[in-house]
Structure formats: C-alpha cells, structure tokens
Amino acid sequence: METVVQDRPHADGRYALLKVERLNPTIGAYVSGVDLTQPYGEDVAAELRQALADHMVIFLRDQPLDFAAHRRLAAVFGEAHVAPSTKPWRVPGFDEITKMHADHTSKYVAGEDWHSDMSCDPQPPMGSILYLHTIPPLGGDTVFSSMYAAWDALSDRMRAQLQGLTATHDGVKAFGGLVPEGMTLPCTSHPIARTHPVTGRKALYVNRGFTTRIDGVSERESEALLGFLFEHVQSPMFQCRFTWSPHAIAIWDNRCGQHMAIWDYFPQVRSGYRIQIKGETPV
Ligand code: SIN
C-alpha cells in the first residue's frame, strides 16, 4: 500500500506572513514568523486575528515583551478591558496590565479551575494575552478547552434543552475572599449557548470558576445540569495543553474557550503579565 507522507501536516497554508501550526485537529496553534517586540503592520495584525478566530488559542515563543509591546499586541485585538476585580494585582501606572505571579509565599494562583475570564462581567473580555517571562523548571502548563467542540458534542436533545436558557455568573465565586473587603463584584446572567460574533459558531458558555446557577429552573435541576456540563467541558477531546518557555505568549478567545492554570510547581516562581481585551454582551 502506498504511504502518503505530508510535508508539514500541521501547517495551515492560508497565511501569507505568519507560520501557523496546529497542535491538534480541535484547538490551538503555534504562531511564528513575527517579532512582536518590533512594530508590525496591519497585514500581520490581520493574520494574528485570523489565527485566533481559526484556532481559539495561539501561542508564540521567544517574544520578550515590555509593557509598550504588550499594549501594542493587545491593540491588535481591541481596546483593553479593565475588570474591577483585577484592581489588587494591577501594575502601577498601567491599569490594564495585571501582574500574574506565583512563588513560595503564594496561597493560590489565578485561574486554578476551569473558567472563561471574568464571565461575571456584563461584557466579559473577548480575549486575554498572557506573557510569562519567568517559568518554573517543570510544570506550570495551561490547559485550554474548546467550547465549540463541547457544544457540538452534546446531543440534539441536550442542546435543545439548553438553548434559550441563561445562567448566573458571580464574581464572588471566583474572587470572594481574595479582593479587599467591601469591594462589590459583578454578577450577571448570560446565555448558556452563545454565538461567536466573528465565526458565527455556537459555544457552550458556563464555567466552574464563575457560574453559580442556571436561571429559571429549580436548584436541584440547576445543580445536576451544571455538574454535568462542568464535567463535560473537561473532556481531553476538546483540549490542548501549553508548556511555557520564558518569554512565551498565549492569546486566547474567552468567547469560545475555557482554560485552567496548573499549579504543580510550588514553591517555584512563575511570573508575567496579562492584558484582557474588551468584549461584547454575550448573545
Ligand atoms: C488565567 O486564568 O488568566 C491565568 C492562566 C495561567 O496563568 O496560565
């Protein structure tokens, strides 16, 4: 039998300037061919946006960003989202830049459970750009899960049941006890199935980090359904896993994905910065 060997089986040939290589058939791509520390044009910016729309999360290595370069990269995707709940961790003088740091004194790290960033906000951030300059010798990966794949994998009957329902996302679930006492955290209802404004695809939009309740059904029904959905999104079939290197960047779309930071490196240091990008009201 003849064997067909593909030249670059993961490479996506639709890009003229960037090299975009998929991690697996479902989610995630490595992007190279650009130096984000230097100014770049709208042609590169358009391909970065396309790669994000195509793959839900993209990864770039060896990009030692300073704050200006991080801001420039964020502007490729939109205006910065300044969430009230990031206040304690903001970089002085840069409201939109959040310090992401863990070391031997840490009691928790950001994003330890499956979540979509700030889904408690009325207009949650469409995406996030995490840059890490320091990583532990081993561990500290981030796992991403495609909520397109999670939605598509549900049965027609389950999708019909969920369609039209909303769920409550409460900032207290994620940040209660971590932010200064008296700080009011957002709490908002969003559709359980949201339509991505760029791709037009449906994505499952409940997450263990923020979602507290399915609206308009009994407490027991809500608990049972959410329990099922929280398990469902964890299927390895929907996932990719990124192993960081110093000065790597992950750019993800919160509208169609969830992620989880793996804190398996205590007491080692993992450190960097994150900017979130303004999103729209989920529909
Ligand atoms: C986050 O949830 O935004 C942080 C992810 C990570 O640190 O890997």
Side-chain angles (χ1 to χ4, degrees), residues 36 40 48 60 63 65 67-78 129-131 249-251 275 277:
L36 296 173
Y40 38 90
L48 286 168
L60 297 101
Q63 306 282 342
L65 300 185
F67 292 148
H70 201 162
R71 276 178 156 169
R72 184 170 57 224
L73 178 58
V76 164
F77 299 92
I129 302 180
L130 178 62
Y131 160 69
I249 300 168
I251 307 174
I275 299 183
I277 320 292

Side-chain angles (χ1 to χ4, degrees), residues 100 109-113 115 117 128 130 132 140-144 244 252 259-262 265 270 274 276:
M100 310 289 281
V109 299
E112 267 186 273
D113 207 343
H115 67 287
D117 287 339
S128 306
L130 178 62
L132 294 184
D141 294 359
T142 310
V143 195
F144 296 85
W244 291 85
W252 62 84
H259 56 284
M260 185 179 117
I262 301 179
Y265 52 89
R270 181 181 187 265
R274 188 190 63 196
Q276 297 179 318

Side-chain angles (χ1 to χ4, degrees), residues 37-50:
T37 67
Q38 299 300 317
Y40 38 90
E42 175 50 30
D43 47 359
V44 168
E47 289 203 0
L48 286 168
R49 286 192 292 271
Q50 188 61 51

Side-chain angles (χ1 to χ4, degrees), residues 85-97:
S85 40
T86 59
K87 199 166 181 188
W89 302 282
R90 285 182 200 156
V91 173
F94 295 87
D95 273 0
E96 77 275 48
I97 304 184

